Amino acid sequence: MSDYRIGTKCVQGGYTPGNGEPRQIPIVQSTTFKYSTSEDMGKLFDLEAEGYFYTRLQNPTNDYVAAKIAEMEGGTAAMLTSSGQAANFFAMFNICQAGDHMVASSSIYGGTYNLIAVTMAKMGISVTFVSPDATEEELNAAFQPNTKLMFGETIANPALTVLDIELFAKVAHAHGVPLIVDNTFPTPVNCRPIEWGADIVTHSTTKYMDGHGAAVGGAIVDGGKFDWMAYADKYPGLCTPDDSYHGVVYAERFGKEGAFITKCTTQLMRDLGSIQSPQNAFYLNLGLESLHVRMPRHVENGQAVAEFLENHPKVAYVNYSGLKSSKYYERAQKYLPNGGCGVVSFGLKGGREAASIFMRELKLGAIETHVADARTCCLNPATSTHRQMTDEQLIEAGVPAELIRISLGLEDKEDLIADISRALDAIK
């Protein structure tokens, strides 16, 4: 469906039923699949035929939904994972091993930061973190001979910085490595990183793609443009024979368009098993069908609340790239001309005490660790996820005591602003 616009892809991408087949994507709730002969199944294990033999690796429901997301992002292949964390780990570990190095933006989701800085470090993979605002020279200086990838988030969670995708891609490619971009917050409705040079795109589908807080999941999309064989020495996993699959060379057998996802499925999903359940994939598809309708409303509510907060006397600062006062406004106009997302963060002049009162008085915004679904939710890290830290430590972590993160849902913006206004009025 490459000729269709994003809304049509959201609704009808990935699955075209034949005559008399289900109009909705079917839920194939089966762990295994039957074959007539051992030879037929053997071709699957040798990667000589397409098909299914065990849902831990692949499932038809999942593949239909993954194909839709690939079409939405403008990629050539995709796969679903059990969570966004699994998607990021698989995307990185698919081309990294002990002794390798990566370059990553320092402004990323805390869970991903810990994955890279702590967990993957224990696996022998090192990282150099760079500012999302680093110059080309500063980015170049972060690379080492053993660097295998570059990573960033289109809109960072929770800092809401906007990545200069084109610059990061330029630098990554100059060093012969792919750029992986987590595109969870804007979704392909508002930004398609592959069009700006990114090679691999990841998602926590738990957020806007699902849209209802119903199902945890993740996705990986390959842009199909990175030439692995041009850097064969750097990527032996893709460019040399895989003994566990009878010596197949993924980059030769499946080309630029399919090598990355095929290896990720046949090796990592086979061995680590972080598959998304077919039932969750079905829920995800229901969310995708309305994504192009929902995202403009999230942006509308986010913009309205950000403008209200920016002009409120009890608010010290607001982080939202749709504001002309934002340091990321011009960059957002380039990459996110239709808006970014519905997540806004802001600081209260009264510090920790003011934040506590605000959270207590808020009625429509539920206190949750979640973001990016139909219902507005809110969090003060200092009194929840980061409550073990001192005020000084919170500042160092980039989540000062006065910081509030609010994810605007699909409610009426006037009701949301009135609710926020009442909560602010309670602060003396």
Side-chain angles (χ1 to χ4, degrees):
M1 303 188 72
S2 59
D3 295 335
Y4 291 100
R5 293 175 174 81
I6 188 68
T8 303
K9 293 177 181 179
C10 287
V11 177
Q12 295 205 29
Y15 173 69
T16 303
N19 190 39
E21 292 182 345
R23 186 65 190 90
Q24 180 55 277
I25 289 176
I27 305 171
V28 182
Q29 195 65 47
S30 179
T31 60
T32 54
F33 301 83
K34 176 184 177 296
Y35 286 87
S36 299
T37 68
S38 294
E39 288 75 20
D40 289 338
M41 181 173 285
K43 292 177 182 178
L44 299 176
F45 280 89
D46 290 343
L47 303 181
E48 294 177 353
E50 295 183 3
Y52 304 91
F53 54 85
Y54 199 57
T55 285
R56 189 180 79 236
L57 278 85
Q58 286 181 284
N59 176 282
T61 307
N62 292 23
D63 282 358
Y64 290 138
V65 181
K68 172 178 284 191
I69 295 173
E71 290 177 359
M72 291 165 61
E73 283 287 8
T76 57
M79 63 187 290
L80 301 186
T81 61
S82 58
S83 68
Q85 278 290 84
N88 280 331
F89 173 62
F90 274 27
M92 297 173 192
F93 197 54
N94 200 38
I95 50 177
C96 282
Q97 61 185 15
D100 288 342
H101 172 263
M102 70 176 75
V103 177
S105 170
S106 59
S107 185
I108 55 178
Y109 168 57
T112 308
Y113 188 100
N114 193 78
L115 167 68
I116 297 171
V118 179
T119 302
M120 295 186 75
K122 293 177 181 177
M123 303 168 68
I125 300 168
S126 60
V127 62
T128 298
F129 287 105
V130 294
S131 167
D133 305 320
T135 65
E136 184 173 347
E137 292 73 20
E138 290 169 335
L139 294 177
N140 280 318
F143 280 77
Q144 301 175 10
N146 60 336
T147 303
K148 296 299 177 67
L149 65 89
M150 199 174 196
F151 177 83
E153 294 178 359
T154 311
I155 301 177
N157 175 19
L160 302 181
T161 56
V162 178
L163 191 72
D164 191 341
I165 303 171
E166 200 167 35
L167 174 61
F168 270 60
K170 175 184 177 182
V171 173
H173 296 158
H175 291 271
V177 307
L179 172 64
I180 300 175
V181 174
D182 185 326
N183 196 37
T184 296
F185 268 11
T187 81
V189 170
N190 286 340
C191 183
R192 289 176 287 280
I194 292 169
E195 295 178 359
W196 296 102
D199 301 288
I200 310 294
V201 173
T202 61
H203 286 276
S204 169
T205 63
T206 317
K207 308 304 189 297
Y208 287 120
M209 282 188 164
D210 168 82
H212 303 90
V216 175
I220 307 171
V221 181
D222 184 4
K225 297 178 181 179
F226 192 83
D227 190 352
W228 304 104
M229 290 302 293
Y231 307 98
D233 292 343
K234 190 173 290 187
Y235 300 104
L238 284 160
C239 302
T240 59
D242 179 2
D243 292 337
S244 69
Y245 275 104
H246 306 287
V248 64
V249 178
Y250 296 100
E252 291 180 351
R253 174 78 68 84
F254 303 100
K256 292 186 292 185
E257 296 79 12
F260 185 89
I261 293 297
T262 302
K263 177 182 180 294
C264 202
T265 300
T266 57
Q267 283 189 356
L268 300 189
M269 195 61 81
R270 173 196 64 187
D271 296 342
L272 301 176
S274 297
I275 191 73
Q276 188 171 145
S277 76
Q279 188 73 50
N280 277 13
F282 179 82
Y283 294 145
L284 168 58
N285 185 62
L286 294 180
L288 291 173
E289 290 179 348
S290 64
L291 183 63
H292 62 300
V293 179
R294 291 184 287 107
M295 286 307 295
R297 181 59 174 262
H298 285 295
V299 171
E300 177 187 351
N301 284 352
Q303 185 72 29
V305 168
E307 291 175 359
F308 167 78
L309 290 168
E310 187 176 41
N311 294 309
H312 198 283
K314 294 180 181 178
V315 175
Y317 57 84
V318 181
N319 298 319
Y320 191 74
S321 62
L323 295 174
K324 291 184 178 180
S325 59
S326 169
K327 65 181 292 187
Y328 295 105
Y329 179 77
E330 292 302 324
R331 190 178 294 176
Q333 294 304 296
K334 174 180 178 178
Y335 295 114
L336 307 159
N338 296 321
C341 64
V343 182
V344 179
S345 65
F346 59 99
L348 295 172
K349 291 180 180 179
R352 181 185 291 267
E353 182 179 355
S356 179
I357 295 171
F358 177 84
M359 295 297 292
R360 185 183 69 223
E361 296 296 324
L362 205 62
K363 303 303 180 186
L364 279 179
I367 299 175
E368 301 177 22
T369 57
H370 192 47
V371 289
D373 73 19
R375 294 163 293 275
T376 293
C377 52
C378 197
L379 192 72
N380 170 226
T383 56
S384 55
T385 56
H386 295 66
R387 66 179 297 117
Q388 75 280 7
M389 294 182 175
T390 65
D391 283 4
E392 291 73 21
Q393 290 172 326
L394 287 167
I395 292 172
E396 291 177 5
V399 285
E402 75 277 2
L403 183 73
I404 303 289
R405 182 190 69 185
I406 187 166
S407 173
L408 286 312
L410 301 178
E411 302 92 345
D412 189 283
K413 62 185 176 184
E414 282 78 13
D415 289 335
L416 291 171
I417 290 173
D419 187 44
I420 292 168
S421 180
R422 282 193 298 268
L424 289 170
D425 288 344
I427 302 171
K428 304 303 180 184

